[in-house]
């Protein structure tokens, strides 16, 4: 939320309309992750919505490399992400971005086995070994 004068203005993520259909899925969770909004369904990380500058402006499809060919056959607008090639990427600049992004969300909601990875558990923070003085 940003404040302008005496009132607060809620900043809406430009891709919020995409994850809204997932909000009806009981296991849906949305978290911040490295400047993106990461969508989880059934405990699996399925999609990341990035709204920065290229190559971080669009939808990242969290998938195993074994599923790349199949997903690209279904949705040819997808390509491996230029920095994170283990995942597929739909840039906002792609022709038919809205249609393809909505299809990805539908596949994630239906728990298509090609979409989603088991997230790595968070590492526990090391406790300080310093003793209070």
């Amino acid at each position: 939320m940003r404040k302008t004068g005496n009132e607060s203005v809620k900043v809406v993520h430009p891709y919020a309309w995409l994850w809204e259909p997932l909000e009806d899925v009981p296991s849906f969770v949305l978290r911040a992750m490295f400047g993106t909004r990461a969508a989880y369904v059934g405990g699996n990380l399925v999609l990341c919505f990035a709204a920065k500058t290229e190559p971080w402006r669009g939808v990242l499809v969290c998938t195993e490399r074994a599923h790349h060919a199949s997903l690209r056959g279904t949705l040819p607008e997808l390509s491996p992400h230029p920095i994170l090639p283990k995942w597929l990427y739909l840039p906002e600049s792609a022709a038919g971005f809205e249609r393809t992004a909505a299809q990805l969300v539908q596949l994630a909601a239906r728990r298509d086995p090609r979409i989603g990875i088991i997230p790595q558990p968070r590492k526990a923070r090391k406790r300080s070994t310093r003793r209070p003085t």
Side-chain angles (χ1 to χ4, degrees), residues 71-95:
L71 283 166
R72 292 181 74 194
T74 304
L75 303 167
E77 298 86 354
L78 297 175
S79 61
H81 189 272
I83 296 172
L84 200 60
K86 66 181 180 179
W87 291 351
L88 293 174
Y89 180 55
L90 175 66
E92 183 183 85
S93 60

Side-chain angles (χ1 to χ4, degrees), residues 80-117:
H81 189 272
I83 296 172
L84 200 60
K86 66 181 180 179
W87 291 351
L88 293 174
Y89 180 55
L90 175 66
E92 183 183 85
S93 60
F97 170 80
E98 292 86 2
R99 177 187 48 78
T100 303
Q103 287 176 304
L104 287 166
V105 169
Q106 289 174 354
L107 291 172
R110 290 193 305 244
R111 295 187 181 190
D112 186 300
R114 300 172 296 174
I115 296 179
I117 61 165

Side-chain angles (χ1 to χ4, degrees), residues 5-95:
N6 293 333
E7 72 274 358
S8 294
V9 176
K10 185 176 181 181
V11 178
V12 178
H13 193 282
Y15 302 134
W17 63 274
L18 284 169
W19 68 68
E20 285 175 356
L22 291 172
E23 292 173 349
D24 293 333
V25 177
S27 63
F28 170 72
V29 175
L30 186 69
R31 293 190 179 130
M33 184 177 81
F34 304 120
T36 70
R37 294 288 183 232
Y40 296 78
V41 174
N44 288 340
L45 174 59
V46 292
L47 300 169
C48 288
F49 303 94
K52 294 191 176 193
T53 58
E54 284 295 337
W56 301 104
R57 187 159 193 87
V59 180
L60 284 87
V61 183
C62 310
T63 186
E64 301 292 336
R65 288 182 197 257
H67 300 300
H68 283 207
S70 175
L71 283 166
R72 292 181 74 194
T74 304
L75 303 167
E77 298 86 354
L78 297 175
S79 61
H81 189 272
I83 296 172
L84 200 60
K86 66 181 180 179
W87 291 351
L88 293 174
Y89 180 55
L90 175 66
E92 183 183 85
S93 60

